[in-house]
Amino acid sequence: AVKGYLDIAASAKDAGLQGKSLYNCGNALYQQGKLEESIEYYKKALGLNHDDQDAKHNLEFVQEELKKRKSEAKKTEQKQQQEQQQQKQDENKQQQNQQNDQQGQQQEQNKQQQQGEKKDQEKAAQQQKQKEEQARAGEQKSEEQKQAQGQLGTADKKEGEKKDEAQAVPQQ
């Protein structure tokens, strides 16, 4: 349709017919969603006929429509950016929470390990203490045995001395 109107506008010798063809070309482009191009053809139509009220009206209407669409596109873009930022913040927060959880788990593991090591140290200290007590008890027992043997030895020695004295006494 646009090409047909352009052909008529190019071949028409009458400015009114050229203007109407350019106006119709603007309408066809608007219907195709080509707002910026449609504005250009309404301006060309008005350039040929300044009093064309339909071209003025459509020009103003399409300019407003273009502003609305650009404004909506900008709002949509801003909304998408905000959603992306929110999503990124949520992801960062989730990562932070995961890191905090991992740190908490690591700290709990370290705490349990330290408690285990402390228990091991306490157990080793208790075993060492028991060994030392057993060693002291063994030394004490050994000492007691030596003393007992020493007393026996002294008693045996005294008995032996008494026997020796009895044997050494001359017989009459």
Side-chain angles (χ1 to χ4, degrees):
V2 175
K3 185 169 178 9
Y5 291 127
L6 289 175
D7 289 342
I8 292 171
S11 63
K13 300 199 190 250
D14 179 31
L17 183 59
Q18 282 180 336
K20 281 292 179 192
S21 294
L22 293 171
Y23 167 81
N24 287 333
C25 192
N27 287 342
L29 289 167
Y30 172 78
Q31 289 175 352
Q32 293 175 5
K34 299 177 180 179
L35 303 185
E36 291 172 347
E37 291 179 50
S38 123
I39 289 171
E40 293 303 314
Y41 280 96
Y42 291 135
K43 287 180 180 179
K44 287 180 183 181
L46 286 170
L48 293 173
N49 182 2
H50 301 295
D51 297 327
D52 187 343
Q53 293 301 313
D54 290 335
K56 283 181 183 179
H57 172 75
N58 285 4
L59 175 63
E60 290 172 4
F61 176 81
V62 174
Q63 286 174 331
E64 281 300 312
E65 183 70 20
L66 185 61
K67 284 180 186 178
K68 286 180 188 177
R69 288 188 185 183
K70 285 183 178 181
S71 176
E72 287 174 8
K74 189 174 183 177
K75 286 179 184 178
T76 301
E77 183 180 340
Q78 288 174 343
K79 186 176 180 180
Q80 287 174 345
Q81 287 176 349
Q82 288 174 344
E83 288 173 355
Q84 288 174 349
Q85 288 174 345
Q86 184 63 42
Q87 185 177 4
K88 192 170 186 174
Q89 288 175 350
D90 291 345
E91 288 172 1
N92 289 342
K93 191 173 185 178
Q94 186 177 10
Q95 286 177 348
Q96 184 65 39
N97 288 340
Q98 287 175 345
Q99 288 175 350
N100 289 344
D101 289 346
Q102 289 173 349
Q103 287 176 349
Q105 289 172 354
Q106 184 65 38
Q107 288 173 348
E108 184 62 30
Q109 287 175 349
N110 290 345
K111 184 178 178 181
Q112 289 175 354
Q113 185 177 0
Q114 288 172 350
Q115 288 174 345
E117 289 173 357
K118 185 177 179 181
K119 285 180 181 179
D120 290 345
Q121 289 173 350
E122 288 172 354
K123 188 175 180 180
Q126 190 175 15
Q127 289 174 346
Q128 182 65 29
K129 187 176 178 181
Q130 286 175 347
K131 285 180 184 180
E132 289 173 0
E133 287 175 359
Q134 288 173 349
R136 275 192 231 116
E139 288 175 6
Q140 222 174 14
K141 191 173 184 181
S142 177
E143 195 62 38
E144 288 173 0
Q145 287 175 348
K146 286 180 185 179
Q147 285 178 356
Q149 286 177 354
Q151 286 175 355
L152 284 177
T154 307
D156 288 343
K157 197 174 185 183
K158 285 182 181 178
E159 279 183 34
E161 288 175 1
K162 283 183 184 179
K163 284 184 186 177
D164 288 342
E165 285 178 13
Q167 289 175 355
V169 172
Q171 293 184 350
Q172 301 176 354

